Amino acid sequence: MIPHTIQEARTKVLAGELTLANLVEHYFEQISASNGEINAFVFEDKEEAIRQAKLVQEKVDSGQAGALVGAVMGIKDVICEKGRPTTCASEILAGFESVYDATVIERLRAEDAILIGRLNMDEFAMGSTNEYSRYGAARNPHDTTKVTGGSSGGSAAAVAGNLANSTLGSDTGGSIRQPASYCGVVGIKPTYGRVSRYGLVAFASSFDSIGPLANSVQDAASVLQVIAGFDERDNTSAQIEVPDYVSVAENPDGNIKIGVPEEFFGEGLDEGVKEIVESTIQKLKDNGAEIIPIHLPHTKYGLATYYILATAEASSNLARYDGIRYGHRADKNTVLDELKAEETEIKSRLKNASESEVPAIEKELAQLDSALTRLYKKSRTEGFGPEVKRRIMLGTYVLSAGYYDAYYGKAQKVRRLIQNDYKEAFQKVDVIACPTAPTTAFDIGSEINDPLQMYLNDAYTISANLAGICGISVPAGTHGNGLPVGIQFMGDVFQEEKIINAGRLVEMLR
Ligand code: GLN
């Protein structure tokens, strides 16, 4: 029997009861059997993984095992791995291979994790279902008619479906925690600045963070332990010491203060989800926690604030994909033919125009795109999917001269108010508990045509990104509909140990 967790795999490997090559083989068998349906991995490199397994095995055999021996990991397709495709599940990056490793990748390898492939996601990490992907939707291993959540859908489904024992995801507004909740696994979004973003393809740079997904809180803590910490290549990375998360997860302390915000238990929350989260909080209370009702009064502005600021940053970050420097470029000859045809058409109208029509048509002719401009436009039109286009348009709008103050400037101010709500709350409590998402996983296809409904899935996760604090989602139970429900704990900046502690308590009391 091959164990599901890194921790157990590690124990067996170190005891000589399991070789890393066998462990890696096992995951490739799992991938062959079920990735066709789950669609979590979009690229695998078995040969290289086995080669790595043998190299690490030699280290283990000579008594030099790194901290992540036993970790067989997949990486979200938004984090650069040298020589492997890095497409962000977008047509515009189809065929692109990274030329360097992200800092997190270097750190995982240095501690002997084996990286076996790349994971499905929503295009450029924009989405809550993993349906906006050039590879098609990832499917929830608990019920393959349901979404995995997103945008790190592949990262959550790979762990839940036992295609890897841990993965990395990225979280800009909930993209680690929400799919973790839908797929019944653990996911940690670290504090902004805790884990280096060097080598993470940017979506919204002041929100983005990289974090682990795994089958247990201890496993997630052990991966975080390795990837956390200062990196001089990321100038928002914090020079703050990394505590021992692993030992916190090994010896959790039940005597904690848990804030419960009324604002996260109101309208829109599914009854079954609410019951499970509330009964989990009750168990924590019975186990010695103090439960303190709190208020986070600006919560109701969170979604609007996030979708203004994140789209603004995205529109700027995505300007670099122009079809010249990376990935997809529209066909040059088609562009030239198109322009020629348009020019001919305008000129023939000009010929037959009455005097009063001439100035308007001349203007049209003068404004006809240059070949280069049209090449950019066409490459972007072909390369980006619908959600990414929507975000670029929204973001460009809120940053435009006439609307900057009314939208972008105002949203920055509200972001500060939300941060202040959390600062105040964390003076009274160690962690804040709430549902991770308002519902369980829903049917694939059911929300894809309703962006606003889709955005509501993030209602409980985005504030952690707005405030820059940390959050964890831990499986809390099974809904009446048979699907997993996650509980979320948020912690103050650089207090990952507190959310890990709370998460581990839930795991033990479950
Ligand atoms: N679902 C949110 C969005 O679409 C969050 C995405 C994320 O965290 N990357 O923006």
Side-chain angles (χ1 to χ4, degrees):
M1 226 351 230
I2 304 277
H4 284 174
T5 62
I6 305 176
Q7 204 191 15
E8 290 164 299
R10 177 182 174 77
T11 308
K12 288 204 165 193
V13 170
L14 296 186
E17 292 162 17
L18 174 67
T19 68
L20 283 168
N22 286 345
L23 183 65
V24 169
E25 288 278 0
H26 161 76
Y27 284 108
F28 278 99
E29 277 162 26
Q30 296 280 101
I31 291 171
S32 304
S34 40
N35 193 55
E37 172 135 41
I38 297 174
N39 199 22
F41 276 94
V42 298
F43 170 87
E44 305 109 57
D45 191 344
K46 184 171 176 184
E47 214 174 292
E48 173 61 17
I50 298 286
R51 203 180 67 85
Q52 281 298 325
K54 289 185 175 152
L55 285 177
V56 176
Q57 188 70 50
E58 280 172 24
K59 281 179 75 181
V60 172
D61 295 344
S62 63
Q64 295 172 310
L68 288 179
V69 162
V72 179
M73 303 185 65
I75 305 293
K76 186 177 181 181
D77 196 29
V78 67
I79 299 169
C80 291
E81 262 186 278
K82 188 174 175 179
R84 290 188 174 178
T86 303
T87 72
C88 302
S90 178
E91 284 307 324
I92 208 148
L93 283 174
F96 180 75
E97 278 186 8
S98 178
V99 293
Y100 68 99
D101 277 330
T103 297
V104 290
I105 300 296
E106 283 179 357
R107 291 186 179 177
L108 291 176
R109 287 224 185 89
E111 290 300 337
D112 296 334
I114 295 168
L115 312 183
I116 64 173
R118 312 282 300 164
L119 295 164
N120 208 347
M121 57 183 282
D122 284 294
E123 185 178 2
F124 283 103
M126 298 173 188
S128 308
T129 60
N130 205 136
E131 291 169 287
Y132 297 122
S133 162
R134 74 180 293 263
Y135 306 102
R139 293 175 174 271
N140 195 314
H142 293 270
D143 174 347
T144 52
T145 66
K146 306 289 178 197
V147 299
T148 52
S151 63
S152 312
S155 306
V159 175
N162 286 312
L163 309 182
N165 61 16
S166 49
T167 57
L168 288 187
S170 69
D171 192 312
T172 302
S175 282
I176 290 175
R177 292 160 288 159
Q178 185 253 23
S181 174
Y182 285 3
C183 291
V185 301
V186 175
I188 300 178
K189 174 239 172 292
T191 306
Y192 185 77
R194 177 93 282 186
V195 174
S196 169
R197 288 182 297 114
Y198 179 78
L200 170 67
V201 177
F203 160 10
S205 313
S206 78
F207 295 81
D208 297 339
S209 42
I210 297 177
L213 294 97
N215 279 311
S216 72
V217 172
Q218 279 163 296
D219 279 4
S222 66
V223 175
L224 181 62
Q225 192 81 57
V226 167
I227 61 174
F230 177 67
D231 175 20
E232 62 180 11
R233 294 179 294 188
D234 170 3
N235 59 14
T236 57
S237 148
Q239 296 217 35
I240 296 177
E241 198 150 331
V242 180
D244 188 345
Y245 301 136
V246 176
S247 61
V248 170
E250 276 163 8
N251 292 301
D253 174 8
N255 184 12
I256 54 173
K257 288 185 180 146
I258 302 177
V260 179
E262 193 185 303
E263 290 81 0
F264 285 71
F265 289 83
E267 205 194 323
L269 176 59
D270 175 276
E271 271 308 312
V273 173
K274 185 172 171 192
E275 262 168 44
I276 290 175
V277 172
E278 284 179 344
S279 77
T280 303
I281 294 171
Q282 183 59 42
K283 278 188 222 157
L284 291 166
K285 184 174 176 195
D286 299 341
N287 187 53
E290 185 183 344
I291 307 300
I292 304 173
I294 59 164
H295 280 286
L296 298 163
H298 297 95
T299 301
K300 57 178 176 291
Y301 304 116
L303 267 178
T305 307
Y306 170 80
Y307 276 96
I308 290 172
L309 297 177
T311 57
E313 294 186 25
S315 71
S316 160
N317 276 324
L318 270 59
R320 74 188 63 163
Y321 304 102
D322 55 12
I324 303 297
R325 283 169 286 191
Y326 314 92
H328 175 77
R329 183 181 304 170
D331 179 58
K332 189 180 75 186
N333 293 327
T334 315
V335 166
L336 293 173
D337 290 349
E338 242 179 52
L339 281 171
K340 193 87 216 135
E342 284 170 39
E343 193 183 347
T344 314
E345 189 272 328
I346 300 173
K347 282 186 173 158
S348 88
R349 270 193 285 132
L350 195 57
K351 230 195 222 159
N352 304 319
S354 66
E355 207 170 312
S356 66
E357 289 167 343
V358 166
I361 301 178
E362 275 180 340
K363 193 169 168 199
E364 241 183 277
L365 193 59
Q367 284 178 344
L368 195 61
D369 287 336
S370 70
L372 182 61
T373 303
R374 182 60 64 89
L375 185 66
Y376 288 149
K377 281 187 186 169
K378 204 168 164 61
S379 300
R380 285 168 68 83
T381 303
E382 291 172 353
F384 289 134
E387 184 60 24
V388 174
K389 285 181 183 146
R390 186 155 38 235
R391 307 274 177 123
I392 292 174
M393 286 191 280
L394 276 170
T396 309
Y397 179 80
V398 300
L399 287 175
S400 60
Y403 298 101
Y404 184 95
D405 290 335
Y407 293 106
Y408 186 77
K410 186 67 132 310
Q412 287 288 29
K413 291 179 185 161
V414 180
R415 183 178 196 178
R416 175 51 59 92
L417 294 175
I418 292 172
Q419 277 168 357
N420 289 346
D421 280 357
Y422 282 89
K423 222 185 242 172
E424 207 170 297
F426 286 122
Q427 283 171 2
K428 290 180 286 201
V429 301
D430 294 308
V431 293
I432 293 173
C434 62
T436 306
T439 65
T440 53
F442 40 88
D443 286 344
I444 292 177
S446 62
E447 292 190 5
I448 190 97
N449 295 318
D450 188 348
L452 283 181
Q453 186 58 37
M454 180 83 86
Y455 297 168
L456 289 174
N457 290 296
D458 307 328
Y460 304 145
T461 47
I462 40 160
S463 12
N465 304 74
L466 283 160
I469 59 176
C470 56
I472 189 172
S473 179
V474 184
T478 305
H479 192 279
N481 63 16
L483 293 167
V485 171
I487 184 170
Q488 176 179 215
F489 295 100
M490 291 183 274
D492 203 357
V493 289
F494 304 108
Q495 300 205 334
E496 281 77 5
E497 63 281 10
K498 291 195 176 165
I499 58 172
I500 287 169
N501 179 69
R504 179 69 187 132
L505 289 172
V506 169
E507 216 170 47
M508 289 166 65
L509 296 170
R510 195 167 55 213

